[in-house]
Amino acid sequence: KRVEVFRLEGHRLAVKALVYCSASKAIASGGLDRDILIWDPKTGGKMGRLIGHTCPVSDIQYLEATDTIFSLDYKQAILIWDAVKQVLITRINTNEATVHGPAEPVAVIQTNLRRGHFVLFSKRPKIFKVTPPDRSSVAVLHRSRVVATLYNHAFHQ
């Protein structure tokens, strides 16, 4: 017998990938609507939306060592997100040819929790080392309109 606790409602189209983010205690989901939604697993409430893919999301992975989310879309782009601040760190276009040879379509991404790696699976697996992001340099956008600012003369900021 299945018991439904709650529904995660917010995607406009089908969900293709789901991952639990243990350090930030959240669930990330992505799919055909190109967005990644962040959910509170206790309440089912939406905590955020990661916008940046230009086509549907096919896979999502989470790397606890760096608290980052990796998302792969159907155009072979991998977006790396800061799971805490919910901002884009970088974009990797894997469908472009590199100095190491022609482009190979990426089918799956996988993370190695202990070593801090992520792996791209195509004809040959490619392993990348991930270093923790410098969270101080990542800009945080305001959730609503800024109405006032102050200047601190003592600290010149």
Side-chain angles (χ1 to χ4, degrees):
K1 180 179 176 182
R2 280 196 294 187
V3 177
E4 185 177 301
V5 179
F6 48 78
R7 289 179 187 247
L8 302 177
E9 295 183 10
H11 283 284
R12 298 178 309 276
L13 299 170
V15 172
K16 293 293 189 179
L18 187 75
V19 68
Y20 178 69
C21 306
S22 55
S24 50
K25 294 181 177 50
I27 296 172
S29 62
L32 299 180
D33 61 1
R34 302 181 308 206
D35 293 342
I36 297 170
L37 298 182
I38 309 297
W39 308 92
D40 181 340
K42 292 183 180 178
T43 66
K46 191 168 30 172
M47 297 169 52
R49 179 184 301 266
L50 306 179
I51 300 171
H53 282 284
T54 58
C55 67
V57 176
S58 62
D59 195 8
I60 299 177
Q61 292 292 320
Y62 172 73
L63 187 58
E64 185 175 12
T66 57
D67 208 13
T68 48
I69 296 171
F70 296 80
S71 55
L72 173 69
D73 66 27
Y74 287 117
K75 285 187 179 176
Q76 310 300 311
I78 296 174
L79 277 61
I80 303 176
W81 307 88
D82 183 319
V84 175
K85 292 187 176 181
Q86 298 183 8
V87 295
L88 180 64
I89 297 172
T90 191
R91 171 189 299 269
I92 301 169
N93 292 316
T94 64
N95 60 353
E96 297 174 356
T98 65
V99 293
H100 303 295
E104 297 175 358
V106 175
V108 178
I109 55 175
Q110 187 65 46
T111 57
N112 181 324
L113 299 177
R114 281 189 237 122
R115 295 193 176 182
H117 293 140
F118 80 95
V119 183
L120 304 180
F121 289 96
S122 55
K123 288 182 182 176
R124 292 178 294 258
K126 297 177 184 174
I127 301 173
F128 296 88
K129 176 74 174 160
V130 179
T131 56
D134 177 12
R135 297 198 193 284
S136 64
S137 66
V138 177
V140 177
L141 302 177
H142 296 279
R143 298 207 187 273
S144 60
R145 185 169 54 99
V146 176
V147 293
T149 61
L150 295 175
Y151 179 78
N152 186 326
H153 291 284
F155 294 106
H156 302 289
Q157 47 181 318

